Amino acid sequence: MIRSVHRRLATGTAIGIAGLLAAAVPTAAATAGTTNGAGSTASVAAVAAPPDISVTNVKAHLTDLQSIATANGGNRAHGRSGYKASIDFVKAKLDAAGFTTTLQQFTYFGSTGYNLIADWPGGDSNQVLMAGSHLDSVSSGPGMNDNGSGSAAILETALAVSRAQFTPEKHLRFAWWGAEELGLVGSKYYVNSLSSTDRSKVKGYLNFDMIGSPNPGYFVYDDDPTIEQTFKTYFAGIGVPTEIETEGDGRSDHASFKNVGIPVGGLFTGASNTKSSAQATKWGGTAGQAFDRCYHSSCDTTSNISDTALDRNSDAIAYAIWNLSAGTTVPPGGDVYENTTDVTIPDYGSAVTSSVAVSGRTGNAPSTLQVGVNIKHTWRGDLVIDLVAPDGSTYRLKNSSGSDSADDVVATYTVNASSEAANGTWQLKVQDVARYDTGYIDSWKLTF
Ligand code: TRP
Ligand code: ZN
Ligand code: CA
């Protein structure tokens, strides 16, 4: 039996509070919202469209970093002249773009090291979103993929923030770390230099270390779920499959933040590990060869870069920064259509649906249609969930994931349903695609 209820919520009613970082991602056709344990609904605000980062500009920064290495003995390593020249180069660009820059000095192994911190003025100083990359190379080479790539990509993203005169809800801070190659020295120094109050204001740290590997994979760090989902949503939107990063968790500067409890995430295209044939099938490139054959070598030059990987990852960085900094807003309230009848989801079986009938509205559904899903399940990674519009169009809300062993799906997804007529029968379609674990649709609702 279908029992649809239709109730009006007072405009401006706050339905709930989002987690640390609200996923506010209305640009893709269907995007994951914020899951929170309490089962309340997190809502999102419309976000200014993230810019397409110019890979030409990113490569121009890399060429400048290569020239710096060439002019300074072939590297940009901690304690060498090429490192300080790299810092000065990045700082000058940011100063000219209106950032407030701070050069933080430390001493390691008898040499002075530097972190560069660049704050974009504005935003809520109690909610800071950071993005960082290590700027040092090893002494054996110029470090173009490791890590000119991340350094140049976040530089160009920062310059795009300035060009857009972006006004995020959160405060944005970019960082270029020293002496990562000697043991995450600069980022540890920075985290230790923050008071516990200032640390607690950092709501997320995004790390980019090696994002232009010449035989690339597309790896997303498996850390904070909201950050991870934001990157996955971006790559899903451009049709590029991703995998979880497994080439050494803790081997870059995000570990310094993670160790003090700050939510982290990031992207990586692979170092000395070998690309499998399955990976070559999905990503192209060469199976049986390292993702980066020049890792930590003198051949890590501007020739050691996949432009495609650098381009995709740079765009993903801007997408994540735009969306994760938008902040949490009070949901607008609206008309709620709900079905609370339980529907059993057969184990490894065909899809089941649950319907809600919408009538009496005019025009199309909103671009921020909220789909609240409450499914009880013993292994939610088994589940694929779609919203089906009255005309049969489907919007993917959630894919399956063999590694997501958590229980239950309690989430609100934001769907751009503006091309769909509002009136008619909407369905939630759920399929269990893997054996052993089972569950049922407890309830679901649409908020117009
Ligand atoms: N940070 C390492 C380096 O600079 C590279 C690396 C290896 C890495 N495994 C990683 C970076 C995993 C990020 C994630 O030499
Ligand atoms: Zn590195
Ligand atoms: Ca199952």
Side-chain angles (χ1 to χ4, degrees):
M1 186 197 66
I2 295 162
R3 182 167 65 93
S4 293
V5 293
H6 175 194
R7 66 176 189 268
R8 175 102 202 157
L9 294 186
T11 302
T13 301
I15 308 179
I17 309 273
L20 279 179
L21 286 163
V25 193
T27 48
T31 57
T34 300
T35 306
N36 54 44
S40 58
T41 302
S43 194
V44 295
V47 174
D52 182 346
I53 299 297
S54 156
V55 73
T56 306
N57 291 0
V58 177
K59 287 179 70 185
H61 304 320
L62 267 182
T63 301
D64 286 337
L65 290 170
Q66 174 74 62
S67 303
I68 287 169
T70 304
N72 289 277
N75 69 68
R76 303 179 301 102
H78 170 71
R80 309 292 186 91
S81 55
Y83 183 70
K84 182 59 166 43
S86 300
I87 281 277
D88 292 344
F89 161 75
V90 175
K91 183 175 185 299
K93 298 251 179 209
L94 295 163
D95 286 337
F99 282 82
T100 304
T101 59
T102 308
L103 197 56
Q104 184 179 48
Q105 286 193 24
F106 56 89
T107 304
Y108 187 71
F109 234 82
S111 301
T112 303
Y114 304 90
N115 295 324
L116 177 66
I117 312 297
D119 284 277
W120 179 241
D124 180 353
S125 58
N126 290 313
Q127 299 185 70
V128 179
L129 178 67
M130 289 190 70
S133 292
H134 76 85
L135 187 57
D136 63 314
S137 71
V138 291
S139 56
S140 49
M144 287 298 103
N145 185 35
D146 183 14
N147 184 31
S149 61
S151 295
I154 67 166
L155 172 58
E156 187 56 24
T157 305
L159 298 180
V161 165
S162 168
R163 273 183 222 116
Q165 290 291 302
F166 186 38
T167 51
E169 177 130 349
K170 292 196 178 71
H171 177 78
L172 291 182
R173 181 176 299 154
F174 293 86
W176 288 260
W177 309 118
E180 185 270 354
E181 298 291 1
L182 305 177
L184 321 180
V185 177
S187 56
K188 277 184 201 160
Y189 185 87
Y190 174 77
V191 168
N192 287 330
S193 75
L194 294 177
S195 66
S196 56
T197 309
D198 284 343
R199 261 185 213 173
S200 68
K201 293 176 179 172
V202 181
K203 303 304 183 192
Y205 171 74
L206 312 179
N207 194 63
F208 305 102
D209 182 1
M210 305 184 72
I211 57 167
S213 304
N215 185 26
Y218 293 89
F219 298 103
V220 177
Y221 298 2
D222 184 19
D223 270 293
D224 177 73
T226 300
I227 298 172
E228 181 182 336
Q229 185 58 56
T230 301
F231 286 127
K232 287 179 172 173
T233 298
Y234 179 77
F235 281 101
I238 61 167
V240 174
T242 59
E243 287 184 15
I244 294 303
E245 188 285 302
T246 55
E247 200 172 345
D249 196 20
R251 276 183 65 186
S252 191
D253 297 296
H254 58 292
S256 307
F257 288 80
K258 186 179 162 124
N259 286 342
V260 297
I262 294 170
V264 303
L267 299 173
F268 179 58
T269 52
S272 48
N273 279 8
T274 302
K275 184 178 273 189
S276 70
S277 47
Q279 289 170 329
T281 301
K282 68 172 144 180
W283 289 324
T286 311
Q289 205 173 81
F291 295 106
D292 182 355
R293 287 196 289 177
C294 290
Y295 176 60
H296 286 185
S297 311
S298 58
C299 60
D300 186 12
T301 64
T302 46
S303 311
N304 189 47
I305 291 287
S306 157
D307 291 0
T308 301
L310 189 64
D311 190 12
R312 290 171 175 171
N313 282 299
S314 299
D315 291 341
I317 292 169
Y319 178 87
I321 288 174
W322 254 252
N323 284 297
L324 293 169
S325 65
T328 311
T329 57
V330 174
D335 293 325
V336 177
Y337 302 81
E338 186 171 28
N339 187 335
T340 59
T341 303
D342 294 355
V343 177
T344 301
I345 306 163
D347 186 27
Y348 193 37
S350 37
V352 293
T353 59
S354 171
S355 305
V356 299
V358 175
S359 61
R361 307 196 69 83
T362 48
N364 282 2
S367 60
T368 55
L369 179 65
Q370 305 284 289
V371 188
V373 176
N374 187 351
I375 293 175
K376 300 284 191 284
H377 201 274
T378 52
W379 188 300
R380 70 179 175 205
D382 287 1
L383 301 176
V384 176
I385 308 176
D386 291 297
L387 175 70
V388 186
D391 73 352
S393 321
T394 63
Y395 295 83
R396 177 59 45 92
L397 304 178
K398 178 194 168 303
N399 281 310
S400 61
S401 157
S403 63
D404 186 1
S405 63
D407 288 348
D408 301 346
V409 179
V410 181
T412 298
Y413 302 93
T414 302
V415 173
N416 181 350
S418 57
S419 65
E420 304 295 340
N423 289 333
T425 301
W426 295 74
Q427 292 175 298
L428 188 74
K429 184 174 153 199
V430 182
Q431 187 168 17
D432 179 330
V433 299
R435 245 179 250 290
Y436 306 127
D437 285 86
T438 58
Y440 62 96
I441 303 173
D442 189 340
S443 65
W444 74 286
K445 66 184 175 186
L446 291 172
T447 304
F448 281 74

